[in-house]
Amino acid sequence: MQDLAPDVVSIADACLGGLQGRSALLIGPEELRLPYLKLLRQARMKYVYQEETSARVHYLLPHVQLLIYMPAIAMLEGGNTHVPQLTAASIAKGCEGRRTPLLIFDLAPSTSVEELAGLLPAVCLYTPNDLHRILYKAELKAC
């Protein structure tokens, strides 16, 4: 995917009614997290948690309003790729008792967050297809 960081942060800002004072969780390799980290700090987010993998997601979700998931894609024998899935069950566990909205951006080349997560109360999930559609429409309007 192209450099989506400014667009993703802009959408998050609009959806959450501002980013200042809120918290985010960035999951993925450091080189992918860095552009988001810079933009979120510029937006004066209160806390930006960073993780390489989604192993601790259910512990951190109660503390954030924004989750940006950009998993490392592993190349398997035979040329196949493996994209780690973020399960709806782990998101549900982290959202128990949640009263504030959680905005999730799945930034993998193909869906890597179980789409059932988008059906959880107070969760808004943007899949790779959603982002392509939104950005394509924005590009058309700019022409």
Side-chain angles (χ1 to χ4, degrees):
M1 263 192 216
Q2 65 201 24
D3 180 23
L4 296 177
D7 295 318
V8 168
V9 171
S10 177
I11 294 168
D13 184 57
C15 289
L16 293 172
L19 297 176
Q20 183 175 345
R22 297 185 185 276
S23 298
L25 171 58
L26 305 177
I27 301 175
E30 184 176 4
E31 65 273 7
L32 296 178
R33 294 188 319 249
L34 191 57
Y36 295 92
L37 178 62
K38 288 179 182 178
L39 290 169
L40 294 173
R41 284 186 175 158
Q42 286 174 1
R44 299 175 58 197
M45 290 203 87
K46 187 174 184 178
Y47 298 109
V48 181
Y49 302 95
Q50 298 183 69
E51 295 286 320
E52 287 280 330
T53 69
S54 62
R56 297 180 345 126
V57 72
H58 60 279
Y59 294 114
L60 295 169
L61 281 184
H63 308 287
V64 302
Q65 295 79 43
L66 172 62
L67 168 60
I68 299 177
Y69 186 59
M70 46 207 142
I73 299 169
M75 186 66 77
L76 302 174
E77 286 185 39
N80 295 325
T81 57
H82 170 71
V83 179
Q85 291 284 308
L86 182 54
T87 66
S90 64
I91 293 169
K93 186 175 180 181
C95 288
E96 289 176 1
R98 184 176 198 94
R99 292 184 179 20
T100 58
L102 173 64
L103 187 58
I104 301 173
F105 286 92
D106 179 358
L107 300 182
S110 61
T111 302
S112 63
V113 175
E114 277 187 327
E115 292 193 39
L116 285 175
L119 300 176
L120 295 168
V123 172
C124 180
L125 171 63
Y126 285 91
T127 66
N129 288 337
D130 295 331
L131 290 170
H132 282 113
R133 219 175 2 260
I134 290 167
L135 298 175
Y136 178 73
K137 285 181 182 179
E139 198 174 282
L140 286 178
K141 286 182 181 179
C143 293

Coordinates of all heavy atoms in Angstrom, one line a residue, residues 70-115:
M70 N -0.8 -3.3 11.4 CA -0.1 -3.4 10.1 C 0.9 -4.6 10.4 O 2.1 -4.4 10.6 CB 0.6 -2.1 9.7 CG 1.3 -1.4 10.9 SD 1.4 0.3 10.6 CE 1.2 0.8 12.3
P71 N 0.4 -5.8 10.3 CA 1.3 -7.0 10.6 C 2.4 -7.2 9.7 O 2.3 -6.9 8.5 CB 0.3 -8.1 10.6 CG -0.7 -7.7 9.6 CD -0.9 -6.2 9.8
A72 N 3.5 -7.8 10.2 CA 4.6 -8.3 9.4 C 4.1 -9.4 8.5 O 3.5 -10.4 9.1 CB 5.8 -8.6 10.2
I73 N 4.4 -9.4 7.3 CA 4.0 -10.5 6.4 C 5.2 -11.5 6.2 O 6.3 -11.0 5.8 CB 3.5 -10.0 5.0 CG1 2.3 -9.1 5.3 CG2 3.2 -11.1 4.1 CD1 1.9 -8.3 4.1
A74 N 5.0 -12.7 6.6 CA 6.1 -13.7 6.5 C 6.0 -14.5 5.2 O 4.9 -14.8 4.7 CB 6.0 -14.7 7.7
M75 N 7.1 -14.7 4.6 CA 7.2 -15.5 3.4 C 7.5 -17.0 3.8 O 8.4 -17.3 4.5 CB 8.3 -15.0 2.5 CG 8.4 -15.7 1.1 SD 7.0 -15.4 0.1 CE 7.4 -13.8 -0.5
L76 N 6.6 -17.9 3.4 CA 6.7 -19.3 3.7 C 7.4 -20.0 2.5 O 7.5 -19.5 1.4 CB 5.3 -19.9 3.9 CG 4.5 -19.2 5.1 CD1 3.1 -19.8 5.1 CD2 5.2 -19.4 6.4
E77 N 7.8 -21.3 2.8 CA 8.3 -22.1 1.8 C 7.3 -22.2 0.6 O 6.1 -22.3 0.9 CB 8.7 -23.5 2.3 CG 9.9 -23.5 3.2 CD 10.3 -24.9 3.6 OE1 10.2 -25.8 2.8 OE2 10.7 -25.0 4.8
G78 N 7.8 -22.3 -0.6 CA 6.9 -22.4 -1.7 C 6.4 -21.1 -2.2 O 5.6 -21.0 -3.1
G79 N 6.9 -20.0 -1.6 CA 6.5 -18.6 -2.1 C 5.2 -18.1 -1.6 O 4.7 -17.1 -1.9
N80 N 4.5 -18.9 -0.7 CA 3.3 -18.4 -0.1 C 3.6 -17.4 1.0 O 4.6 -17.4 1.6 CB 2.5 -19.6 0.5 CG 2.0 -20.5 -0.6 OD1 1.7 -20.1 -1.7 ND2 2.0 -21.8 -0.3
T81 N 2.6 -16.5 1.2 CA 2.8 -15.6 2.3 C 1.8 -15.9 3.5 O 0.8 -16.5 3.2 CB 2.5 -14.1 1.8 OG1 1.2 -14.0 1.3 CG2 3.5 -13.7 0.8
H82 N 2.2 -15.4 4.6 CA 1.4 -15.6 5.8 C 1.2 -14.3 6.5 O 2.1 -13.6 6.8 CB 2.0 -16.6 6.8 CG 1.3 -16.6 8.2 ND1 0.1 -17.2 8.3 CD2 1.7 -16.1 9.4 CE1 -0.3 -17.1 9.6 NE2 0.7 -16.4 10.2
V83 N -0.1 -13.9 6.6 CA -0.4 -12.6 7.3 C -1.1 -13.0 8.6 O -2.1 -13.6 8.7 CB -1.4 -11.8 6.5 CG1 -1.8 -10.5 7.2 CG2 -0.8 -11.5 5.1
P84 N -0.5 -12.6 9.8 CA -1.1 -13.0 11.1 C -2.4 -12.3 11.2 O -2.6 -11.1 10.9 CB -0.1 -12.4 12.1 CG 1.2 -12.1 11.3 CD 0.8 -11.9 9.9
Q85 N -3.4 -13.1 11.7 CA -4.7 -12.6 11.9 C -4.9 -12.1 13.3 O -4.5 -12.6 14.3 CB -5.8 -13.7 11.7 CG -5.9 -14.2 10.2 CD -6.6 -13.2 9.4 OE1 -7.8 -12.8 9.7 NE2 -6.1 -12.8 8.3
L86 N -5.6 -10.9 13.4 CA -6.1 -10.4 14.7 C -7.5 -10.9 14.8 O -8.4 -10.5 14.0 CB -6.0 -8.9 14.7 CG -6.4 -8.1 15.9 CD1 -5.6 -8.7 17.1 CD2 -6.1 -6.7 15.8
T87 N -7.8 -11.7 15.8 CA -9.1 -12.4 15.9 C -10.1 -11.5 16.6 O -9.8 -10.6 17.4 CB -9.0 -13.7 16.7 OG1 -8.6 -13.4 18.1 CG2 -7.9 -14.6 16.1
A88 N -11.3 -11.7 16.2 CA -12.5 -11.0 16.8 C -12.6 -11.4 18.3 O -12.9 -10.6 19.1 CB -13.8 -11.4 16.1
A89 N -12.2 -12.6 18.6 CA -12.2 -13.1 20.0 C -11.3 -12.3 20.9 O -11.6 -11.8 22.0 CB -11.9 -14.5 20.1
S90 N -10.0 -12.0 20.4 CA -9.1 -11.2 21.2 C -9.6 -9.8 21.3 O -9.4 -9.1 22.4 CB -7.7 -11.3 20.7 OG -7.6 -10.8 19.4
I91 N -10.2 -9.2 20.3 CA -10.7 -7.9 20.3 C -11.9 -7.8 21.3 O -12.0 -6.9 22.1 CB -11.1 -7.4 18.9 CG1 -9.8 -7.2 18.1 CG2 -11.8 -6.0 19.0 CD1 -10.1 -7.0 16.6
A92 N -12.7 -8.8 21.2 CA -13.9 -8.8 22.1 C -13.4 -8.9 23.6 O -14.0 -8.2 24.5 CB -14.8 -10.0 21.8
K93 N -12.4 -9.7 23.8 CA -11.9 -9.8 25.2 C -11.4 -8.5 25.7 O -11.6 -8.1 26.9 CB -10.8 -10.9 25.3 CG -10.3 -11.2 26.7 CD -9.3 -12.4 26.6 CE -8.8 -12.6 28.1 NZ -7.9 -13.7 28.1
G94 N -10.7 -7.8 24.9 CA -10.2 -6.5 25.2 C -11.2 -5.4 25.3 O -11.0 -4.3 25.9
C95 N -12.4 -5.6 24.8 CA -13.5 -4.6 24.8 C -14.5 -4.9 25.8 O -15.5 -4.2 25.9 CB -14.1 -4.6 23.4 SG -13.1 -3.8 22.1
E96 N -14.3 -5.9 26.7 CA -15.3 -6.2 27.7 C -15.5 -5.0 28.6 O -14.6 -4.4 29.1 CB -14.8 -7.4 28.6 CG -14.9 -8.7 27.9 CD -14.3 -9.8 28.7 OE1 -13.9 -9.6 29.8 OE2 -14.3 -11.0 28.1
G97 N -16.8 -4.6 28.7 CA -17.1 -3.4 29.6 C -16.8 -2.1 28.9 O -16.9 -1.0 29.6
R98 N -16.4 -2.1 27.7 CA -16.0 -0.8 27.0 C -17.2 0.1 26.8 O -18.3 -0.3 26.4 CB -15.4 -1.2 25.6 CG -14.9 0.0 24.9 CD -14.2 -0.4 23.6 NE -13.4 0.7 23.2 CZ -12.1 0.9 23.5 NH1 -11.5 0.0 24.2 NH2 -11.4 1.9 23.1
R99 N -17.0 1.4 27.1 CA -18.1 2.4 26.9 C -17.7 3.4 25.8 O -18.6 4.1 25.4 CB -18.4 3.1 28.2 CG -19.0 2.2 29.3 CD -19.3 3.1 30.5 NE -20.0 2.5 31.7 CZ -20.1 1.3 32.1 NH1 -19.6 0.3 31.4 NH2 -20.7 1.0 33.2
T100 N -16.5 3.4 25.4 CA -16.0 4.4 24.4 C -15.8 3.7 23.1 O -15.5 2.5 23.1 CB -14.7 5.1 24.9 OG1 -13.7 4.1 25.1 CG2 -15.0 5.9 26.1
P101 N -15.9 4.4 22.0 CA -15.7 3.8 20.7 C -14.2 3.3 20.5 O -13.3 3.9 21.0 CB -16.0 4.8 19.7 CG -16.5 6.0 20.4 CD -16.3 5.8 21.9
L102 N -14.1 2.3 19.7 CA -12.8 1.8 19.3 C -12.7 1.8 17.8 O -13.5 1.1 17.2 CB -12.5 0.4 19.9 CG -11.2 -0.3 19.4 CD1 -10.0 0.5 19.8 CD2 -11.1 -1.8 19.8
L103 N -11.8 2.5 17.3 CA -11.6 2.6 15.8 C -10.4 1.7 15.4 O -9.3 1.9 16.0 CB -11.3 4.0 15.5 CG -11.3 4.5 14.0 CD1 -12.6 4.1 13.3 CD2 -11.0 6.0 13.9
I104 N -10.6 0.7 14.5 CA -9.6 -0.2 14.1 C -9.3 0.0 12.6 O -10.2 -0.1 11.8 CB -10.0 -1.6 14.4 CG1 -10.2 -1.9 15.9 CG2 -8.9 -2.6 13.9 CD1 -10.8 -3.3 16.2
F105 N -8.0 0.2 12.3 CA -7.6 0.2 10.9 C -6.8 -1.0 10.6 O -5.7 -1.2 11.2 CB -6.8 1.5 10.6 CG -7.6 2.7 10.5 CD1 -7.8 3.5 11.7 CD2 -8.2 3.1 9.3 CE1 -8.5 4.7 11.6 CE2 -8.9 4.3 9.3 CZ -9.1 5.1 10.4
D106 N -7.2 -1.8 9.6 CA -6.5 -3.0 9.2 C -5.7 -2.5 8.0 O -6.3 -2.3 6.9 CB -7.5 -4.1 8.8 CG -6.8 -5.4 8.3 OD1 -5.5 -5.4 8.2 OD2 -7.5 -6.3 8.1
L107 N -4.4 -2.4 8.1 CA -3.5 -1.9 7.0 C -2.7 -2.9 6.3 O -1.8 -2.6 5.6 CB -2.6 -0.8 7.6 CG -3.3 0.4 8.2 CD1 -2.3 1.4 8.6 CD2 -4.4 1.0 7.3
A108 N -3.1 -4.2 6.4 CA -2.4 -5.3 5.7 C -2.8 -5.2 4.2 O -3.9 -4.6 3.9 CB -2.7 -6.6 6.3
P109 N -2.1 -5.8 3.3 CA -2.5 -5.8 1.9 C -3.8 -6.5 1.7 O -4.6 -6.1 0.8 CB -1.3 -6.6 1.2 CG -0.2 -6.5 2.1 CD -0.7 -6.4 3.5
S110 N -4.1 -7.5 2.5 CA -5.4 -8.2 2.5 C -5.9 -8.2 3.9 O -5.2 -8.0 4.8 CB -5.3 -9.6 1.8 OG -4.4 -10.4 2.6
T111 N -7.2 -8.6 4.1 CA -7.8 -8.5 5.4 C -7.0 -9.4 6.4 O -6.7 -10.5 6.1 CB -9.2 -9.1 5.3 OG1 -9.9 -8.2 4.4 CG2 -9.9 -9.0 6.6
S112 N -6.7 -8.7 7.5 CA -5.9 -9.4 8.6 C -6.6 -9.3 9.9 O -6.1 -9.8 10.9 CB -4.5 -8.9 8.6 OG -4.4 -7.6 9.0
V113 N -7.7 -8.6 10.0 CA -8.5 -8.5 11.2 C -9.8 -9.2 10.9 O -10.4 -8.8 9.9 CB -8.7 -7.0 11.6 CG1 -9.7 -6.9 12.8 CG2 -7.4 -6.3 11.9
E114 N -10.2 -10.1 11.7 CA -11.4 -10.8 11.4 C -12.6 -9.8 11.3 O -12.7 -9.0 12.2 CB -11.7 -11.8 12.5 CG -11.0 -13.1 12.4 CD -11.5 -14.1 13.4 OE1 -11.8 -13.8 14.6 OE2 -11.5 -15.3 13.1
E115 N -13.3 -9.9 10.2 CA -14.3 -8.9 10.0 C -15.5 -9.0 11.0 O -16.2 -8.0 11.2 CB -14.9 -9.0 8.6 CG -13.8 -8.6 7.6 CD -14.3 -8.4 6.2 OE1 -15.4 -7.9 6.0 OE2 -13.6 -8.8 5.2

